[in-house]
Amino acid sequence: MSANEHRGGMHNERHDERLSDEELELFVQYLHRFANHDVDISVRMEAGYPEHPVYVLFGRDYPPVGDAADYRRPFADRRQVTSKSDINDGG
């Protein structure tokens, strides 16, 4: 029985290592999908080691807690513009 089968779900044996750049980018892609499809108003989670948990709140509150300028969109500077034409101009 594999570790995934034993735990009944997704399990990564490298849980004690940092994410690679590729893994981090994939995580952010999944995070965007999660935010778009699974967060109605808010979701609260606990993650990380039980002895030192990280508490995470995903919410659609506006304005956000604190200054909106303090929030950054990961990899936003890597987005490539595929077309500069507007959908309404036939392009």
Side-chain angles (χ1 to χ4, degrees), residues 16-57:
D16 59 343
E17 298 177 21
R18 293 181 65 99
L19 293 177
S20 68
D21 289 345
E22 290 173 4
E23 290 170 321
L24 180 60
E25 191 158 357
L26 187 58
F27 169 76
V28 171
Q29 290 174 15
Y30 286 141
L31 180 59
H32 281 286
R33 282 178 46 197
F34 176 76
N36 289 333
H37 300 286
D38 293 291
V39 179
D40 183 16
I41 296 174
S42 68
V43 175
R44 296 170 189 252
M45 294 183 179
E46 179 183 314
Y49 293 107
E51 307 82 34
H52 302 286
V54 173
Y55 297 98
V56 182
L57 168 65

Side-chain angles (χ1 to χ4, degrees), residues 12 14-15 17-18 21 27 32 45-48 53 55 60 64 66-67 69 83 85-88:
N12 188 336
R14 297 175 48 219
H15 61 86
E17 298 177 21
R18 293 181 65 99
D21 289 345
F27 169 76
H32 281 286
M45 294 183 179
E46 179 183 314
Y55 297 98
R60 297 195 181 276
D67 188 350
S83 173
S85 62
D86 188 343
I87 206 165
N88 294 323

